Amino acid sequence: MSRFFATGSDSESEESSSADEITPKAPGTTFTKQSLLLSDDEEDTKRVVRSAKDKRFEELTNLIKTIRNAMKIRDMSKCLEEFEQLCRAFLKSKTIVDKEGVPPFYIRILADLEDYLNQLWEDKEGKKKMNKNNAKALSTLRQKIRKYNRDYETEIASYKENPMASADEEEEKDEVESGSSSDSDDEPADAKSFLKKKSATEAPPPNASKFLKGAADEESSSSDGDNEDWDSDTSESDSGSEDETGRSTSMAVNFLKKTSSEGDRHTSEKKKEERKKRHKRKERIEEEAEEEAQEEGEGEWEKVKGGVPLVKMFAKGTEINTTVVVKKLNEILQARGKKGTDRAAQIELLHALANISNENNLGEGILVKIKFNIIASLYDYNPNLAAFMKADMWKKCLDCIDELLDILFNNDKIFIGENIAEDSENLASDSQEYRVRGCILTLVERMDEEFTKIMQNTDPHSQEYVDNLKDEGRVCGIIDRLMAYLEMETKGSTEEVCRVYLRRIMHTYYKFDYKAHRRALGLQGETKSEQDAEESEGEDSAFIMDRLCKYIYAKDRTDRIRTCAILCHIYHHALHSRWYQARDLMLMSHLQDNIQHADPPVQILYNRTMVQLGICAFRQGMIKDAHNALLDIQSSGRAKELLGQGLLMRNMQERNAEQEKIEKRRQVPFHMHINLELLECVYLVSAMLLEIPYMAAHEFDARRRMISKQFHHQLRVGERQPLLGPPESMREHVVAASKAMKMGDWRTCHSFIINEKMNSKVWDLFPETQCVREMLVRKIQEESLRTYLFTYSSVYDSISMETLKEMFELELPTVHSIISKMIINEELMASLDQPTQTVVMHRTEPTSLQNMALQLAEKLGGLVENNERVFDLKQGVYGGYFNRDQKGGYQQKQGGYNRDQRGSYQQKQGGYNRDGQRGGYQQKQGGYNRDGGGYQRQGGYNRDGGGYQQRQGGYNRDGNRGGGGGYQGQNRGGYQGGGGYQGGGGYQGGGGYQGGGGYQGGGGGGYRGGYKGGYQNQDRRDY
Amino acid sequence: RDVAKRARMSSAASSATRAGSLNGRPGRSCIPIGPHVVLKMIKHYQEEGQGTEVVQGVLLGLVVEDRLEITNCFPFPQHTEDDADFDEVQYQMEMMRSLRHVNIDHLHVGWYQSTYYGSFVSRALLDSQFSYQHAIEESVVLIYDPIKTAQGSLSLKAYRLTPKLMEICKEKDFSAEGLKKAMIGFEHMFEEVPIVIKNSHLINVLMWELEEKSTVADKHELLNLSSSNHLEKSLQLLMDRVDDMSQDIVKYNTYSRNLSKQQQQKHQYTQRRQQENAQRQTRGEPPLPEEDISKMFKPPQPPPRMDTLLIAGQINNYCQNVKEFTSQNLGKLFLAEALQGHNS
């Protein structure tokens, strides 16, 4: 450790010495080391260039060496290869070459190579002997170098005139190679003089007394340590760089003065060192750069630690007043953002400055200004966007902001704003208001972002995360205070208030308000203890959300804040099971229409909200709504990504490192995550409750569609298992339950859905576990009853409702209502016999042969349709009124299909097409809209309105039969549309079309329309 | 006994067909078939064919005056894909030579094939029948329907390609225009040739004797009332064909749309060219050189219509089958109803 300090001061001294003697050599000047630091900046940049040059030149010389070797053994292909590399390398070092001129060794090799090639070319004999590859390489190389050398004609000519001088240089170059590679000093030095010089520098120091004085305890101890592990690589290279520094005599003084212990070391270890030096050369050069960076930081830090009094920032005796401090502040700030500025030191400096101004009672104005800058530099501490703040920095930052807020609260007179010009600031006078440039809101926002970043970068399963999370309270506190501050008159514009409100909302919306929850429950029961009662004081988060959001709705002018606020509001509602409010807000905001234009974080928020909404609907027993809300997120299979809760493994061509970084930054911190298993379970269970009865009802329907692809996929996976063990995972449970439900066995289904495992995995995660479970049981009973009736109605003549009641453990009215509903919806061909409380089956379900005939009729309809189109084409566009009408009908049907069946796929495809970054989050475009017939009633009505018209057409043309069909179609379509069964209206409309289209398909279509319409109408008339 | 009964029934049926054949076209008089040809075919299917698999064989016979007689047959052996070196022609030659040695008719007069629910109108059948008919003018294909036979009535039909179809096949012109010019529809593709099963008197005697001995239960097959299975299968097949037909139509539709679009483009192009030339003429410049328009606008490949025609024929066939079946069944149902009423 201490060795670093030693070397640190080393390089320090080197820097200062090479800084054109700006730094005074004599110790004890009034110049502090601080100023030294500031003046060093320029020097630094120069040094970087120099080392780059070294590196480049060495690369070139190495290449040249290999070329020469290849020339010697007449390996032309190797020569060519290396030459090409050389050209490339030379091109790379162009900037340096521009500055320094074309290096002589480069010209030399060009000239030599050309001569050599010409010579070979002349030598016909030798050429014949060459193998094919070599000969080929020779000719190419010759052409190449001729072309290349044209650019350097003058240099080569001058070289050829005076090859000796260049050769000298070359020698020198060799020396440089064998000696120290950093030959940046203009004066050429051969090895001997170099060594001599060094020995000179290492001669007994002239001012030994100073050396003794300057050598701190740690220094000497460090030298001890160094002596012990002398042969380590680093120490080698250290000493190497020391050699370098020791090369100029002017340096030596400084060098010895500061790190005399090094001198000691040199004398004792000189020989050893020299022996090793050769081996370590390359490593050293590489390490040099790194070390320098380290040294800088460490070196300065050492100084501070070394107890140089900070007050000395100002010359002694200077009167410290506002202007001086501001000047100093600006001076410090100038270093900001520059390369090589030590950010930590800068923060220290600013702190010191703050203390000074405090000590000198310069007033709050200047203090505020300094504080602003401290916080800003804290944020600057991390050079890139991805890195997050260290814990101590973070703490400092929080403290600082707290203090700043304290000051602001205590002084009404301070006026801050980001649009106050630098020169109109008023930091000094007490009489007027202070005017300080700066925006506290931005700082707090940045702080909030930093907090998110910290949370993102902490392992969510560690204690550290918990510790970090504890800071959330403070963050919220700060935001609250800021809110209070900005809410004060004249302190914040509405825009700013909106922004801070949004921050507040962002910290509130995802938290379940247990207090409010308990209070709601506590109204009936006793409050547990005094403390609890006390705790439950304070506003409900619902009120807060309401107040803040409404303010934003009213005042905000940027769309983004409002959108976020709405989404958070919905989320919050949904989280607290206020389903109707949440739903209404979602529908009123029309967010689904244009969310795909929003930026990814907002889309993520939208996805989160939709999911929460779906889960809320599920808890309320609105299974269809839950399913619709979750469909888009779940059907993609990328829920994790869409919710910003993790990246999916994808191959690299789809996402490069840059994109990955961006995506990582979007991730939602762990404590805000929505449980994915819960999400999937809710989705699958709702899909099961919808799909199983539907499947049972449409067993023979050719045009049956899946309600949920995902669910079917799970079922298929389940079927593919060769050996079916007891379910383990959540999915297996749902699949097993679905199978039981298919048979109408609700007890088994129930035991699969609600049991120990599922409780611990899923259901216990809900706040109102018991309610949810009760709801679920009930739903399972009802849907099982429906499934049972669908599946087995054909084997019954009549069923007593009493029996059903017992079978499914439902109350008689419920059974009655379910069956009635089924009959009304024409799902069950039966009638209720009131006196005996039985369901009498009509046995009018078409047999499989009839079903087949219906299908065939449908197909024939399509065939005729297609045929008509061929005919149309033959006839031209004016194919007659009749045909056009037909086409209209056809399109209508197509439309219906599109809307329902393919709609979702298309949507998905859209999502996939849209590439990478954004694509992922856009998926869910108005999904809710699309099939949410439930709320978007208009869609449903429209659709089946169209169906009705269609049917009307049929009626006109075809009299009674078509009319019957039409009537029925409309009826069904209407119901289905209202129900929002994934656009069932559209589907039924298609069916209706068949009825209407019957007349043209001849027997088939007419049969269908008449047949169905006939008996169903009759049925209805019966009861 | 089973076989005997069938033969008897067919003889009954043949008397009906003979009546029909009287007003058949000249030169297409009905074909007498030897009983053992029928039995051999039935046996062949029973032994080797099952389900949708079909069996095929060669018909032998001779032409007497203007009448074809089928007197013998032999099956094609079932052979798997992997023994590729099996030579069918070689086998046939061998077979026929051997038969000649035992002094049996050895003239090749056609072939037979079994069918599954009447689905035999296919490209393969068309092609092979064409090559037969091309080589031996009077050759026929006998279609044997084992399923119908199992229901109690022997179903055996002889088909030939109509001369019109022969011409088209010779020219290989299956485009829509070609078919239109030939005035050929699906109903004119195949012509059925009436057949007659001619038993020797001795056999007739034997059959009468067997008839006496057979029990009532054996005849019940004919009275089977169940219909849905057969109908369902037929409908299923019919539906598949309808689907194919739909696809073909869609294909044709796109083709004709493309064609008309192109026609329009061509028209536009020539007009523009004419205008330009007229302008040039007024300016006294030479007209633009004529370019080959057909090269610039390659007409789209017209879809072959023959398959569609075949599908239509097949659909027709299915429909006939279903019609026949349902009418028979209805009759049976009425019969049963009457019986029920009589009994009760």
Side-chain angles (χ1 to χ4, degrees):
Chain A
M1 182 65 195
S2 56
R3 208 192 309 141
F4 275 127
F5 297 156
T7 54
S9 47
D10 252 3
S11 73
E12 180 62 33
S13 61
E14 179 212 11
E15 280 165 26
S16 52
S17 59
S18 54
D20 300 333
E21 321 302 332
I22 279 176
T23 346
K25 275 156 244 168
T29 46
T30 48
F31 265 87
T32 60
K33 288 177 185 179
Q34 300 304 336
S35 60
L36 197 142
L37 150 79
L38 291 171
S39 64
D40 267 349
D41 279 347
E42 263 177 79
E43 184 54 31
D44 271 342
T45 49
K46 213 177 193 175
R47 271 188 54 91
V48 170
V49 171
R50 197 193 290 160
S51 74
K53 179 190 157 194
D54 291 348
K55 226 189 269 173
R56 292 278 178 233
F57 279 12
E58 196 186 72
E59 196 184 340
L60 290 179
T61 43
N62 280 342
L63 283 169
I64 289 171
K65 229 189 218 165
T66 33
I67 289 179
R68 284 196 190 281
N69 284 340
M71 273 158 75
K72 265 176 212 153
I73 57 167
R74 290 192 162 200
D75 185 353
M76 279 301 109
S77 48
K78 173 94 177 159
C79 236
L80 177 63
E81 205 176 286
E82 291 296 324
F83 177 70
E84 272 165 2
Q85 266 186 35
L86 182 68
C87 290
R88 246 175 277 141
F90 189 69
L91 214 69
K92 250 195 250 165
S93 50
K94 189 137 177 47
T95 47
I96 296 154
V97 171
D98 284 348
K99 214 182 281 169
E100 309 266 337
V102 182
F105 57 85
Y106 191 68
I107 296 300
R108 200 170 121 95
I109 186 70
L110 289 183
D112 285 357
L113 196 59
E114 196 178 11
D115 287 347
Y116 174 69
L117 289 174
N118 284 338
Q119 193 188 322
L120 272 185
W121 195 252
E122 304 297 301
D123 181 14
K124 302 269 186 223
E125 283 296 304
K127 232 164 78 181
K128 269 176 201 160
K129 273 180 209 159
M130 258 187 229
N131 66 23
K132 217 174 173 185
N133 269 351
N134 261 352
K136 211 169 146 196
L138 173 65
S139 55
T140 17
L141 186 57
R142 187 162 160 270
Q143 275 174 355
K144 259 197 183 157
I145 198 147
R146 263 167 133 186
K147 217 161 140 199
Y148 194 81
N149 282 2
R150 227 165 274 161
D151 296 339
Y152 299 97
E153 252 170 284
T154 47
E155 282 96 334
I156 291 171
S158 69
Y159 163 73
K160 279 185 179 160
E161 262 172 40
N162 189 7
M164 274 315 287
S166 305
D168 272 355
E169 267 177 303
E170 172 64 20
E171 249 166 51
E172 177 237 319
K173 178 72 211 157
D174 284 340
E175 298 291 36
V176 166
E177 257 173 53
S178 62
S180 150
S181 69
S182 45
D183 60 332
S184 51
D185 292 26
D186 289 347
E187 31 176 334
D190 59 2
K192 267 181 196 166
S193 67
F194 169 64
L195 281 174
K196 242 186 258 164
K197 222 179 254 174
K198 199 159 82 178
S199 54
T201 52
E202 274 145 21
N207 39 6
S209 56
K210 265 179 197 157
F211 142 56
L212 285 173
K213 225 198 288 171
D217 324 359
E218 43 181 347
E219 294 279 82
S220 54
S221 71
S222 87
S223 71
D224 286 351
D226 280 349
N227 285 338
E228 274 159 26
D229 53 14
W230 187 228
D231 46 354
S232 79
D233 277 5
T234 35
S235 63
E236 259 334 288
S237 53
D238 278 354
S239 57
S241 62
E242 277 144 23
D243 289 349
E244 200 184 321
T245 56
R247 277 176 58 199
S248 82
T249 24
S250 65
M251 246 181 227
V253 184
N254 236 332
F255 168 64
L256 289 168
K257 180 183 72 202
K258 290 212 175 143
T259 60
S260 42
S261 59
E262 303 285 320
D264 251 355
R265 198 171 54 182
H266 279 300
T267 41
S268 59
E269 300 290 340
K270 192 174 142 200
K271 278 176 192 166
K272 209 183 194 178
E273 182 191 323
E274 263 175 15
R275 240 187 296 128
K276 290 190 178 177
K277 209 159 48 180
R278 282 168 197 277
H279 306 289
K280 302 296 179 188
R281 202 142 290 129
K282 276 182 196 170
E283 292 162 43
R284 189 184 65 204
I285 289 153
E286 282 161 21
E287 274 167 43
E288 217 171 346
E290 286 169 36
E291 259 166 46
E292 267 160 22
Q294 275 180 359
E295 280 161 14
E296 265 163 26
E298 300 286 344
E300 278 159 34
W301 191 40
E302 185 218 13
K303 266 179 272 161
V304 175
K305 206 179 162 194
V308 181
L310 283 164
V311 198
K312 277 200 180 158
M313 216 174 326
F314 302 104
K316 252 177 205 161
T318 320
E319 193 202 343
I320 295 175
N321 58 22
T322 317
T323 37
V324 175
V325 172
V326 170
K327 212 173 138 201
K328 194 73 211 166
L329 182 66
N330 284 336
E331 195 185 327
I332 295 168
L333 289 181
Q334 243 135 47
R336 183 181 168 188
K338 279 187 187 159
K339 220 176 182 181
T341 313
D342 178 21
R343 292 176 291 266
Q346 213 182 6
I347 294 164
E348 284 302 318
L349 281 176
L350 286 169
H351 268 299
L353 202 62
N355 285 339
I356 291 168
S357 72
N358 238 355
E359 278 167 25
N360 292 291
N361 283 329
L362 290 182
E364 307 287 355
I366 190 77
L367 197 60
V368 167
K369 185 158 181 66
I370 294 172
K371 287 272 181 213
F372 266 129
N373 285 313
I374 292 176
I375 297 164
S377 2
L378 279 170
Y379 292 147
D380 279 349
Y381 187 71
N382 282 320
N384 60 359
L385 217 57
F388 60 102
M389 275 180 147
K390 299 275 175 305
D392 54 336
M393 283 293 171
W394 170 242
K395 288 271 177 315
K396 240 187 249 175
C397 179
L398 285 182
D399 289 340
C400 243
I401 292 176
D402 253 343
E403 280 166 34
L404 185 58
L405 279 170
D406 280 339
I407 297 170
L408 290 178
F409 267 107
N410 292 336
N411 297 282
D412 289 349
K413 283 192 294 180
I414 299 176
F415 189 77
I416 55 171
E418 50 192 333
N419 37 16
I420 295 172
E422 198 81 50
D423 41 4
S424 72
E425 278 187 330
N426 181 5
L427 304 170
S429 69
D430 286 337
S431 55
Q432 292 171 340
E433 282 186 334
Y434 290 112
R435 291 170 67 81
V436 183
R437 178 187 165 84
C439 181
I440 176 81
L441 178 59
T442 317
L443 288 182
V444 171
E445 279 180 339
R446 179 74 199 268
M447 172 199 75
D448 196 31
E449 275 155 30
E450 288 295 338
F451 178 68
T452 315
K453 236 190 266 174
I454 291 174
M455 297 318 279
Q456 279 170 353
N457 285 292
T458 318
D459 173 18
H461 302 292
S462 63
Q463 184 59 35
E464 201 189 344
Y465 193 88
V466 180
D467 291 339
N468 283 341
L469 197 54
K470 280 177 190 156
D471 284 338
E472 219 246 344
R474 269 191 86 181
V475 172
C476 288
I478 286 173
I479 291 174
D480 267 341
R481 290 183 66 189
L482 181 66
M483 217 166 82
Y485 178 74
L486 288 176
E487 273 171 357
M488 284 194 289
E489 291 288 316
T490 73
K491 290 296 185 201
S493 64
T494 48
E495 204 180 313
E496 286 174 322
V497 174
C498 284
R499 271 162 70 189
V500 76
Y501 275 8
L502 183 66
R503 287 286 151 187
R504 180 73 175 87
I505 290 168
M506 285 300 206
H507 277 279
T508 316
Y509 79 96
Y510 63 91
K511 291 174 190 157
F512 188 76
D513 191 351
Y514 279 96
K515 275 185 260 169
H517 185 59
R518 203 177 304 148
R519 210 174 309 150
L521 295 177
L523 287 179
Q524 294 102 24
E526 292 289 305
T527 43
K528 282 167 200 156
S529 68
E530 282 298 305
Q531 201 196 353
D532 270 3
E534 244 170 62
E535 244 179 34
S536 58
E537 288 300 312
E539 244 178 331
D540 274 2
S541 62
F543 291 126
I544 300 174
M545 286 294 289
D546 214 42
R547 185 168 62 82
L548 301 185
C549 287
K550 277 183 179 149
Y551 183 86
I552 290 179
Y553 301 156
K555 297 282 166 66
D556 176 58
R557 278 192 304 270
T558 68
D559 236 12
R560 192 179 185 278
I561 293 181
R562 187 170 51 232
T563 309
C564 289
I566 292 172
L567 288 173
C568 293
H569 204 178
I570 296 169
Y571 190 103
H572 195 260
H573 277 317
L575 192 63
H576 295 84
S577 299
R578 291 188 292 271
W579 156 249
Y580 289 103
Q581 280 108 305
R583 187 198 69 186
D584 292 348
L585 199 52
M586 178 58 97
L587 293 175
M588 280 192 304
S589 63
H590 293 289
L591 276 177
Q592 299 139 7
D593 306 337
N594 45 21
I595 194 68
Q596 67 268 29
H597 304 306
D599 48 6
V602 177
Q603 290 189 4
I604 290 177
L605 182 61
Y606 174 80
N607 290 343
R608 284 166 58 76
T609 306
M610 279 318 283
V611 165
Q612 198 57 252
L613 200 60
I615 294 174
C616 172
F618 183 78
R619 281 194 305 246
Q620 305 293 306
M622 322 265 179
I623 301 299
K624 269 176 214 161
D625 295 320
H627 180 265
N628 287 339
L630 299 180
L631 179 67
D632 286 307
I633 300 291
Q634 276 294 319
S635 60
S636 65
R638 301 189 297 154
K640 197 169 157 196
E641 198 180 353
L642 292 179
L643 291 175
Q645 302 190 353
L647 303 176
L648 287 184
M649 286 299 148
R650 275 195 272 160
N651 43 357
M652 289 314 281
Q653 68 223 41
E654 272 180 77
R655 174 175 62 192
N656 53 31
E658 194 53 39
Q659 268 180 334
E660 192 167 329
K661 257 184 218 158
I662 294 171
E663 275 176 40
K664 255 187 191 147
R665 230 174 293 148
R666 273 186 212 136
Q667 298 304 306
V668 175
F670 184 72
H671 60 280
M672 295 163 73
H673 280 196
I674 295 170
N675 189 322
L676 289 177
E677 188 165 29
L678 171 79
L679 166 64
E680 195 180 355
C681 181
V682 164
Y683 174 75
L684 284 178
V685 169
S686 21
M688 175 187 87
L689 290 174
L690 293 176
E691 187 85 71
I692 297 290
Y694 181 80
M695 278 164 73
H698 298 262
E699 211 179 337
F700 296 111
D701 200 328
R703 280 207 278 172
R704 185 181 61 158
R705 292 184 331 273
M706 299 177 243
I707 294 175
S708 159
K709 257 181 119 183
Q710 193 82 356
F711 178 69
H712 274 272
H713 176 70
Q714 293 302 338
L715 281 187
R716 274 200 302 276
V717 168
E719 272 163 22
R720 242 182 276 142
Q721 297 288 329
L723 189 66
L724 216 60
E728 275 300 323
S729 69
M730 176 273 296
R731 285 179 198 159
E732 285 166 6
H733 271 101
V734 176
V735 169
S738 307
K739 276 186 188 149
M741 194 189 227
K742 236 188 235 169
M743 313 299 292
D745 182 357
W746 77 272
R747 276 192 190 80
T748 322
C749 180
H750 172 212
S751 69
F752 277 130
I753 290 290
I754 297 172
N755 54 30
E756 286 290 302
K757 260 184 205 156
M758 289 292 271
N759 275 347
S760 64
K761 263 181 196 152
V762 180
W763 306 126
D764 285 344
L765 298 173
F766 287 128
E768 313 108 325
T769 315
Q770 206 47 46
C771 305
V772 173
R773 268 184 235 147
E774 276 159 21
M775 179 278 294
L776 256 181
V777 176
R778 188 160 184 86
K779 285 280 170 200
I780 288 173
Q781 285 169 337
E782 289 176 8
E783 294 304 326
S784 300
L785 169 62
R786 275 161 54 82
T787 314
Y788 184 82
L789 285 177
F790 281 134
T791 317
Y792 299 110
S793 64
S794 57
V795 296
Y796 282 102
D797 269 334
S798 62
I799 318 174
S800 149
M801 284 206 282
E802 281 291 330
T803 324
L804 287 176
K805 178 192 116 182
E806 277 162 30
M807 273 173 75
F808 293 94
E809 292 182 15
L810 286 162
E811 306 86 57
L812 201 57
T814 321
V815 176
H816 186 271
S817 84
I818 289 174
I819 292 174
S820 304
K821 222 184 260 171
M822 285 170 77
I823 292 170
I824 288 170
N825 294 340
E826 294 167 4
E827 292 167 331
L828 185 68
M829 300 309 155
S831 50
L832 281 173
D833 189 36
Q834 201 58 45
T836 53
Q837 289 286 314
T838 49
V839 189
V840 182
M841 302 295 167
H842 291 178
R843 315 286 240 123
T844 46
E845 274 300 317
T847 62
S848 65
L849 180 63
Q850 280 163 330
N851 267 320
M852 200 92 87
L854 288 176
Q855 275 178 38
L856 180 63
E858 244 163 61
K859 287 203 167 133
L860 284 173
L863 182 66
V864 170
E865 200 66 59
N866 284 334
N867 225 1
E868 292 285 350
R869 289 163 118 206
V870 175
F871 187 60
D872 247 15
L873 220 74
K874 280 246 163 67
Q875 298 278 303
V877 193
Y878 310 103
Y881 182 67
F882 176 83
N883 285 331
R884 244 180 301 142
D885 233 11
Q886 262 350 96
K887 264 218 298 214
Y890 177 72
Q891 279 161 0
Q892 164 105 17
K893 178 175 137 204
Q894 282 288 73
Y897 251 122
N898 267 343
R899 211 177 307 137
D900 317 324
Q901 196 174 33
R902 265 183 298 177
S904 58
Y905 304 134
Q906 281 173 356
Q907 216 99 29
K908 223 171 296 157
Q909 268 172 1
Y912 286 138
N913 286 341
R914 261 172 245 121
D915 53 355
Q917 304 194 26
R918 300 193 65 200
Y921 309 96
Q922 287 175 345
Q923 200 134 329
K924 63 311 43 181
Q925 301 184 359
Y928 207 53
N929 252 347
R930 193 181 345 109
D931 31 13
Y935 338 121
Q936 297 270 330
R937 291 205 162 232
Q938 269 198 327
Y941 282 142
N942 273 344
R943 216 177 289 150
D944 85 84
Y948 178 62
Q949 282 162 9
Q950 172 78 24
R951 214 80 344 82
Q952 280 293 38
Y955 177 78
N956 283 341
R957 271 180 234 121
D958 209 37
N960 275 336
R961 232 167 6 153
Y967 170 62
Q968 179 218 343
Q970 178 214 358
N971 230 349
R972 290 192 117 192
Y975 162 69
Q976 296 277 9
Y981 228 87
Q982 264 218 324
Y987 164 64
Q988 288 297 345
Y993 157 74
Q994 279 301 336
Y999 72 92
Q1000 49 149 309
Y1007 169 66
R1008 184 196 169 136
Y1011 169 69
K1012 271 212 158 177
Y1015 72 74
Q1016 277 161 8
N1017 282 345
Q1018 235 177 358
D1019 291 345
R1020 239 170 300 139
R1021 246 168 267 130
D1022 282 349
Y1023 22 82
Chain B
R1 194 179 54 191
D2 193 23
V3 170
K5 178 201 68 195
R6 278 203 192 108
R8 174 188 48 76
M9 273 167 190
S10 58
S11 67
S14 65
S15 60
T17 41
R18 200 179 299 139
S21 71
L22 287 177
N23 44 15
R25 274 161 292 170
R28 299 268 171 249
S29 49
C30 70
I31 302 167
I33 298 174
H36 65 289
V37 176
V38 180
L39 292 179
K40 262 173 136 175
M41 277 193 301
I42 293 171
K43 185 162 169 267
H44 182 195
Y45 177 80
Q46 221 97 25
E47 279 169 358
E48 287 182 12
Q50 72 265 75
T52 50
E53 250 175 73
V54 296
V55 295
Q56 292 174 330
V58 176
L59 296 175
L60 300 172
L62 69 162
V63 181
V64 182
E65 289 156 16
D66 62 341
R67 203 175 59 169
L68 180 72
E69 282 181 16
I70 299 169
T71 54
N72 207 343
C73 71
F74 62 87
F76 286 142
Q78 218 82 341
H79 64 95
T80 45
E81 296 286 321
D82 35 63
D83 52 327
D85 52 341
F86 177 81
D87 190 352
E88 248 177 63
V89 180
Q90 188 68 31
Y91 173 80
Q92 282 182 34
M93 287 320 204
E94 281 290 317
M95 250 339 241
M96 280 178 343
R97 200 173 303 133
S98 312
L99 287 169
R100 194 171 55 187
H101 285 162
V102 291
N103 206 12
I104 292 176
D105 289 333
H106 59 270
L107 284 177
H108 206 156
V109 294
W111 58 299
Y112 70 86
Q113 191 199 323
S114 72
T115 175
Y116 177 72
Y117 284 105
S119 53
F120 60 87
V121 188
S122 66
R123 193 61 189 252
L125 182 114
L126 178 75
D127 286 347
S128 58
Q129 178 58 22
F130 169 71
S131 57
Y132 267 104
Q133 230 165 305
H134 196 58
I136 308 154
E137 212 217 317
E138 57 281 329
S139 56
V140 293
V141 53
L142 267 184
I143 303 291
Y144 162 65
D145 189 338
I147 291 158
K148 245 191 216 167
T149 309
Q151 278 162 351
S153 55
L154 176 71
S155 166
L156 196 62
K157 281 177 177 159
Y159 288 97
R160 291 167 57 86
L161 300 184
T162 55
K164 273 183 194 165
L165 192 64
M166 281 299 288
E167 262 167 50
I168 290 174
C169 286
K170 249 179 231 162
E171 280 158 29
K172 300 254 181 271
D173 177 18
F174 297 135
S175 69
E177 273 70 38
L179 294 178
K180 208 163 104 187
K181 216 166 65 194
M183 296 281 283
I184 197 154
F186 62 89
E187 54 286 70
H188 303 126
M189 289 169 71
F190 295 94
E191 58 180 348
E192 194 183 334
V193 190
I195 51 169
V196 134
I197 297 173
K198 215 170 185 179
N199 293 336
S200 67
H201 298 301
L202 209 56
I203 293 174
N204 277 336
V205 171
L206 174 70
M207 296 239 285
W208 280 115
E209 211 178 302
L210 288 173
E211 172 94 39
E212 299 271 291
K213 286 181 184 169
S214 66
T215 54
V216 185
D218 289 335
K219 296 164 191 166
H220 283 176
E221 259 172 81
L222 193 61
L223 297 175
N224 193 352
L225 286 178
S226 82
S227 62
S228 60
N229 189 32
H230 188 264
L231 279 178
E232 265 174 41
K233 288 247 168 60
S234 299
L235 278 184
Q236 192 62 54
L237 289 164
L238 185 54
M239 238 184 299
D240 291 347
R241 286 288 89 77
V242 169
D243 276 346
D244 291 348
M245 186 69 139
S246 274
Q247 272 175 18
D248 267 8
I249 286 180
V250 168
K251 252 185 238 162
Y252 185 73
N253 210 0
T254 26
Y255 157 72
S256 42
R257 212 174 318 130
N258 286 344
L259 193 69
S260 71
K261 211 186 284 170
Q262 205 179 49
Q263 220 87 42
Q264 234 167 3
Q265 280 176 345
K266 222 192 251 178
H267 187 65
Q268 273 179 355
Y269 178 79
T270 44
Q271 257 185 349
R272 218 182 307 131
R273 184 48 77 86
Q274 269 172 0
Q275 269 179 356
E276 208 169 311
N277 273 347
Q279 271 185 354
R280 275 169 164 267
Q281 224 159 23
T282 54
R283 274 179 295 173
E285 289 168 37
L288 289 171
E290 283 296 316
E291 281 166 47
D292 195 3
I293 291 180
S294 61
K295 234 181 224 169
M296 291 174 66
F297 298 100
K298 275 236 166 76
Q301 193 68 34
R305 298 297 292 156
M306 192 37 117
D307 290 331
T308 322
L309 218 53
L310 284 168
I311 293 169
Q314 182 64 65
I315 289 175
N316 186 38
N317 205 11
Y318 284 137
C319 288
Q320 295 298 337
N321 272 349
V322 171
K323 213 167 94 187
E324 201 176 292
F325 182 81
T326 42
S327 56
Q328 278 177 11
N329 247 37
L330 272 178
K332 280 188 267 182
L333 287 172
F334 278 123
L335 195 77
E337 195 185 23
L339 266 175
Q340 196 128 20
H342 179 74
N343 283 351
S344 60

